[in-house]
């Protein structure tokens, strides 16, 4: 379901990591479009996981003001056809506050 006109924010350690009015909800997670995420706060992680219907997820650590939140964000770069709408969109674990304004 496309959320429009609602600004969603992902906040961790007092900083806005992502902000968009075009997130996509899947399984209770808000997936942020790639251009809406502050990539300077994300560091690639070697972790990968396999979802039976979405495909393989790649992870990022969040690094803000010297604090690190390991594997706190994930992305599907080559999702299954069923999950194409979240291709390259980034979601965050529950420690990252995601809500609307």
């Amino acid at each position: 379901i496309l959320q429009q006109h609602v600004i969603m924010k992902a906040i961790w350690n007092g900083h806005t990591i992502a902000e968009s009015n075009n997130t996509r909800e899947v399984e209770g997670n808000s997936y942020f479009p790639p251009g809406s995420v502050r990539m300077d706060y994300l560091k690639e992680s070697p972790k990968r996981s396999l979802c039976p219907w979405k495909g393989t997820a790649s992870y990022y650590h969040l690094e803000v003001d010297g604090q690190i939140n390991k594997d706190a964000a994930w992305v599907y770069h080559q999702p299954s056809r069923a999950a194409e709408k979240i291709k390259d969109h980034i979601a965050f674990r529950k420690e990252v506050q995601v809500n609307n304004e």
Side-chain angles (χ1 to χ4, degrees):
I1 298 172
L2 205 58
Q3 289 188 350
Q4 293 195 349
H5 310 299
V6 175
I7 303 286
M8 295 295 289
K9 284 187 174 187
I11 299 168
W12 184 70
N13 204 22
H15 291 262
T16 300
I17 309 299
E19 185 174 352
S20 176
N21 67 346
N22 195 22
T23 59
R24 295 169 184 196
E25 293 292 317
V26 176
E27 296 179 330
N29 293 303
S30 295
Y31 284 80
F32 288 82
S36 70
V37 179
R38 292 275 312 267
M39 295 304 291
D40 52 318
Y41 289 138
L42 275 60
K43 309 290 180 230
E44 282 193 49
S45 163
K47 180 177 177 172
R48 302 288 181 268
S49 67
L50 181 62
C51 171
W53 77 271
K54 292 189 295 273
T56 300
S58 299
Y59 287 77
Y60 295 100
H61 304 312
L62 287 181
E63 191 173 325
V64 179
D65 290 341
Q67 301 272 331
I68 297 175
N69 188 340
K70 288 186 176 282
D71 303 321
W74 67 92
V75 62
Y76 293 90
H77 290 300
Q78 296 181 330
S80 67
R81 185 171 290 177
E84 276 183 354
K85 73 175 188 171
I86 60 169
K87 177 179 173 58
D88 295 328
H89 285 56
I90 297 173
F92 299 92
R93 279 199 327 220
K94 295 189 181 354
E95 305 88 49
V96 178
Q97 181 185 0
V98 176
N99 55 28
N100 56 355
E101 283 191 319

